[in-house]
Amino acid sequence: MSGFAQPSAADLFMRDAERLAKHPDANATIGVVLHLTGAVPDLAGLREHVATHLPHLPCLTHVLSGDGPAARWVAAVPDLARHVSAQKVGNGPAALEAAVRLLLKEPWPEKAPAWRMILLHGHTPDGFALLYLTHHAVQDGGSMAAVHETLFGPMLPPARLSAPAQGLSCAGRPRIRQVLRTVRALLRHARQHHLWQSASQPLSSRRHTLWTQIPATWLRTVAKAGGASSNDVYLTALTEAITRWAKDAWPRAADRPLPVMVPVNLRTPEEATAPGNRLFLTRIDLPSNTTPSSRRLAGMQEITAVLKSPEHKAVLRAALRLPPVLLRRLVAASTAPGRLSVCASHFVMRPRLSYGEATVIRIDPIICCPPGAPMAVVALSYQGVVSACFRIDQALPGAERLPELWRDALAAAAQPVAGPDTPAPAA
């Protein structure tokens, strides 16, 4: 029997939602692509390297078994000959991205830990990539960061990894006043919006998988000038991109607040590498394009302030300990078709990563977009570069322009801050 608690409602939702997918594009696979410089390493050595760290990574040695109240985390030994492999791809970045898209569709073997690492090479003469994939029921963004910082980063105590939530206090019970404030906030955003339901343009399970990169200075510069966080700037630009696209392609999303589902990280240092999700998916309604551009960032700060509150996080953390049947009902209600919306997340990996003499120069994240959700976006900041992954329902007309629109929105926001005579920084 595993020493970990039973799976959370979020874990079961991610597994069960995948069963509704009519195409593998809408599966619950997430991951990262590490881009490294240097010679292609030996596969046997990579397997040995992973093997030596497995005792410290329980999220790689457990499987989710059973359904409903009987679901449990069960220990399982990975077969590294299957879990760690290599594949040669064609020349150029496009060939690498095409290989990643195909590997994303591969199913997971039964009764084996749901993760794999593929050494990809051939796309560049002076480097290689490590593609890491896992099932969202088993890992969230925080635990994926902890896995890679454990495997490829300096030795750090769990509290200094990127996985633990910032400003989270689990000491004592939350005050009743704060509990009421949090409950009111959750209920205020629980109403159905039906924004993405259309009889003439029904959503599908087919997905675009697209990436774009920007300099992290764009986010930091705008954030500093506005007294905001980088996450506020990221969400403001994402809202502007979606509403610009929607003006012609999906008018019902253009002139009203945009409901967005954001995961609030609730992972403690002790749970840095534990299996399962340690998050609370909550909805916020972001300013529409009817809000003056000069007020959008300030409006975003007001909206996201509650998400940053340690007291609010403490209530959400306590909610994870509610009876499982109540949590399952809460998750089912918040993810009903009329309530599902854009999913957006943003996280940072702070330590510099390397494998042997090869240095990780960029990390591209991979997010999933479950059935019923129109799109999901994740941005990952690492060593001065922010890479964003867009998973977009192919039923949305022209939505493959969204990465470019998001990038353009950030470039335009950063330009006036840098000065009218200063060119926008290049990616």
Side-chain angles (χ1 to χ4, degrees):
M1 175 66 70
S2 167
F4 296 99
Q6 67 184 57
S8 70
D11 303 338
L12 298 177
F13 165 75
M14 294 308 307
R15 186 190 62 181
D16 296 343
E18 184 177 77
R19 296 171 177 172
L20 302 175
K22 298 178 181 179
H23 189 276
D25 279 356
N27 63 23
T29 298
I30 59 174
V32 291
V33 183
L34 306 184
H35 298 265
L36 297 95
T37 60
V40 178
D42 176 63
L43 180 59
L46 180 60
R47 287 172 175 158
E48 183 179 353
H49 177 79
V50 173
T52 60
H53 289 82
L54 284 179
H56 308 292
L57 298 170
C59 55
L60 304 189
T61 59
H62 285 76
V63 297
L64 180 53
S65 178
D67 292 303
R72 292 291 184 273
W73 289 113
V74 178
V77 179
D79 177 3
L80 292 187
R82 297 173 61 190
H83 280 80
V84 182
S85 61
Q87 179 177 320
K88 187 173 183 179
V89 299
N91 184 41
L96 176 65
E97 290 187 2
V100 170
R101 292 187 184 99
L102 284 175
L103 290 164
L104 273 172
K105 299 177 184 180
E106 290 192 359
W108 298 104
E110 294 185 7
K111 299 181 180 180
W115 65 272
R116 58 174 66 102
M117 181 179 291
I118 304 101
L119 168 63
L120 299 174
H121 60 96
H123 57 284
T124 179
D126 56 355
F128 58 97
L130 292 175
L131 169 64
Y132 177 83
L133 300 174
T134 187
H135 197 288
H136 207 330
V138 183
Q139 290 184 247
D140 56 23
S143 60
M144 276 204 305
V147 165
H148 288 83
E149 291 171 6
T150 300
L151 288 174
F152 305 116
M155 291 186 62
L156 296 172
R160 292 186 59 194
L161 297 175
S162 301
Q166 302 295 311
L168 174 64
S169 173
C170 300
R173 291 185 176 181
R175 293 179 299 173
I176 293 297
R177 183 178 297 178
Q178 179 59 51
V179 171
L180 293 176
R181 277 200 295 260
T182 295
V183 170
R184 281 198 297 268
L186 294 176
L187 291 176
R188 188 165 60 248
H189 296 104
R191 62 189 182 278
Q192 296 192 29
H193 52 79
H194 300 287
L195 185 63
W196 302 102
Q197 291 182 300
S198 169
S200 60
Q201 293 177 300
L203 298 181
S204 73
S205 287
R206 300 298 299 268
R207 302 287 182 260
H208 297 292
T209 304
L210 306 166
W211 291 270
T212 191
Q213 292 79 35
I214 63 162
T217 52
W218 286 5
L219 290 181
R220 291 196 297 265
T221 299
V222 179
K224 184 177 180 180
S229 70
S230 292
N231 189 58
D232 292 332
V233 179
Y234 156 67
L235 289 173
T236 301
L238 182 61
T239 306
E240 181 172 339
I242 292 173
T243 53
R244 281 185 60 192
W245 159 79
K247 184 177 180 180
D248 297 318
W250 204 269
R252 63 175 66 89
D255 298 319
R256 55 185 287 188
L258 180 69
V260 174
M261 311 293 290
V262 295
V264 179
N265 181 18
L266 302 173
R267 192 173 290 269
T268 66
E270 295 75 22
E271 299 166 336
T273 59
N277 292 262
R278 299 295 192 277
L279 55 82
F280 197 101
L281 192 64
T282 188
R283 175 182 145 193
I284 54 178
D285 291 344
L286 306 187
S288 70
N289 64 357
T290 60
T291 303
S293 58
S294 60
R295 281 284 305 154
R296 286 176 195 165
L297 184 56
M300 187 67 69
Q301 290 174 260
E302 295 171 4
I303 291 168
T304 61
V306 64
L307 304 181
K308 304 166 189 174
S309 161
E311 294 80 11
H312 178 68
K313 291 181 181 179
V315 176
L316 297 182
R317 174 77 191 190
L320 296 182
R321 298 190 290 272
L322 288 172
V325 64
L326 293 180
L327 274 178
R328 286 196 295 272
R329 288 176 180 173
L330 178 62
V331 171
S334 63
T335 55
R339 294 187 176 96
L340 272 178
S341 190
V342 177
C343 300
S345 58
H346 175 215
F347 62 102
V348 179
M349 290 181 68
R350 291 182 289 273
R352 182 180 291 274
L353 307 184
S354 62
Y355 176 58
E357 298 298 318
T359 300
V360 177
I361 57 174
R362 194 179 89 214
I363 304 177
D364 293 332
I366 300 170
I367 196 170
C368 65
C369 184
M375 68 187 80
V377 188
V378 60
L380 189 157
S381 180
Y382 170 78
Q383 297 298 308
V385 176
V386 178
S387 181
C389 175
F390 289 70
R391 299 294 298 275
I392 306 168
D393 193 326
Q394 293 186 15
L396 300 179
E400 60 271 25
R401 295 178 54 233
L402 282 168
E404 178 186 356
L405 292 173
W406 175 75
R407 197 177 192 281
D408 288 348
L410 283 168
Q415 180 73 5
V417 175
D421 299 323
T422 304

